[in-house]
Amino acid sequence: MKLTSKGRYAVMALVDLARFNNINPVSLRDISLRQGISLDYLEQIFSKLRKKEIVQSVRGTQGGYILNKKTKEIKLTNIFDAVDEKVKTVQCKKESKKGCNGKLTKCLTHNLWDELENHINNFFEQKTLEDLVKDNSEKRI
Amino acid sequence: MKLTSKGRYAVMALVDLARFNNINPVSLRDISLRQGISLDYLEQIFSKLRKKEIVQSVRGTQGGYILNKKTKEIKLTNIFDAVDEKVKTVQCKKESKKGCNGKLTKCLTHNLWDELENHINNFFEQKTLEDLVKDNSEKRI
DNA sequence: AAGATACTTGACTATTTTAGTCAGGTTTAT
DNA sequence: ATAAACCTGACTAAAATAGTCAAGTATCTT
């Protein structure tokens, strides 16, 4: 069970962006250098973040990205959603209401995995970008 | 972020085993049929469970596996440990005490991933096989 | 107007992980 | 003896991941 780089990078990049997001937009190049993430990969990620209106882009020289909402209003859930980082614990599809894997009843551990999924999603639901920025406010880079 | 089949199967199989574990050992063939898990794959999984002393094997005809501990004493943590299902949220290795990715400080989101890891592990630490068996005691198969 | 910077998009690909399969055993109850 | 069931290690196909690459477009600065 592991977090993918895409989700991790998205959060890292947004924290970085939030910290340097004063007046001017922050370029992906800077984030790439500071966080050690491939520029091309960042572009993919920010394309998705933009579509979900988490960031706004500013084109041209001195361009870059700015946050589209207050840090308090950006939950981890939103970020992961945007980049398709999903929490998957079960194989059985939810559509088939009758049971799992073609059987008539739920698989023995179905409730467990549902619980686990909720447990993890709760965590993501409660954390906001603001929390993360605060958490780092005393550190040096 | 997803749970692998190995971990899921291990838990499913052990719940199955726990329910049918009266006097006689339960054969993998039966578990395989009931749970729809490949026999060969189950053998790999049970080999690991045996090494970690979660189950005991009985060879020969009428053989199979029995639990080596009380259901109350088997935590999800133990099961996942045995089959190498790990919760990984960070890339940065823990050994390098100074920081992440060769830098001098922790990466901006390091604490977050640590928290997340703990959050998930807590869940696994608290659930026992007993809980799962009880949860299913009224269901039909 | 030119040039540089930086966003934009889509296609492509190497690597790794996962989820098994397969083959050839060994042990033991009947 | 033989069949059921455990045991082990090597192998492999498919999927997912983590990028790279190429060819743009927009806009600021000079």
Side-chain angles (χ1 to χ4, degrees), chain B residues 4 15-16 32 34 38 43-44 46 51-52 54 56 66 76 87 89 97 113 120 134 141:
Chain B
T4 67
V15 173
D16 184 293
S32 164
R34 279 195 295 261
S38 137
E43 277 169 353
Q44 280 186 41
F46 273 76
K51 278 176 190 152
K52 293 292 173 133
I54 292 174
Q56 257 188 335
I66 54 176
L76 278 200
V87 178
T89 56
K97 290 172 191 171
W113 310 127
I120 297 175
K134 274 190 183 167
I141 289 202

Side-chain angles (χ1 to χ4, degrees), chain A residues 1 34 88 103 108 136, chain B residues 1 34 85 103 108 136:
Chain A
M1 181 157 222
R34 279 196 293 260
K88 278 188 186 175
K103 295 181 182 173
L108 288 178
N136 280 284
Chain B
M1 181 155 224
R34 279 195 295 261
E85 175 88 46
K103 294 179 181 173
L108 288 178
N136 279 285

Side-chain angles (χ1 to χ4, degrees), chain A residues 33-85:
Chain A
L33 289 173
R34 279 196 293 260
Q35 302 303 327
I37 303 171
S38 138
L39 178 58
D40 283 318
Y41 205 23
L42 271 181
E43 279 168 353
Q44 280 185 40
I45 291 169
F46 273 76
S47 165
K48 295 183 179 202
L49 292 174
R50 196 176 65 85
K51 279 176 191 152
K52 294 290 175 135
E53 301 182 335
I54 292 173
V55 297
Q56 257 188 333
S57 69
V58 179
R59 301 187 80 152
T61 317
Q62 306 295 344
Y65 286 89
I66 54 175
L67 289 180
N68 199 27
K69 300 176 182 179
K70 298 191 176 166
T71 54
K72 190 194 296 185
E73 289 159 1
I74 302 177
K75 299 177 197 166
L76 278 200
T77 305
N78 307 136
I79 302 174
F80 284 150
D81 241 39
V83 298
D84 302 311
E85 175 89 44

Side-chain angles (χ1 to χ4, degrees), chain A residues 1-3 8 12 19 34 85-89 103 108-109 111 115 119 127 135-136, chain B residues 1-3 8 12 19 34 85-89 103 108-109 111 115 119 127 135-136:
Chain A
M1 181 157 222
K2 75 176 186 202
L3 197 69
R8 199 180 326 109
M12 285 170 66
R19 298 189 66 191
R34 279 196 293 260
E85 175 89 44
K86 284 170 196 152
V87 178
K88 278 188 186 175
T89 56
K103 295 181 182 173
L108 288 178
T109 48
N111 291 343
E115 256 186 85
H119 186 73
K127 284 277 174 193
D135 188 41
N136 280 284
Chain B
M1 181 155 224
K2 73 176 185 202
L3 196 69
R8 200 179 327 109
M12 286 170 65
R19 298 189 67 192
R34 279 195 295 261
E85 175 88 46
K86 283 170 196 151
V87 178
K88 277 189 186 172
T89 56
K103 294 179 181 173
L108 288 178
T109 48
N111 290 343
E115 257 185 83
H119 185 73
K127 285 274 174 195
D135 189 38
N136 279 285

Side-chain angles (χ1 to χ4, degrees), chain A residues 89-102:
Chain A
T89 56
V90 207
Q91 208 75 341
C92 11
K93 294 174 184 169
K94 303 216 167 170
E95 308 126 32
S96 69
K97 289 172 189 170
K98 297 206 172 174
C100 303
N101 308 323

Side-chain angles (χ1 to χ4, degrees), chain A residues 105-122:
Chain A
T105 54
K106 284 199 219 165
C107 55
L108 288 178
T109 48
H110 195 106
N111 291 343
L112 173 68
W113 310 127
D114 267 357
E115 256 186 85
L116 172 58
E117 225 171 274
N118 289 337
H119 186 73
I120 297 175
N121 282 325
N122 279 346

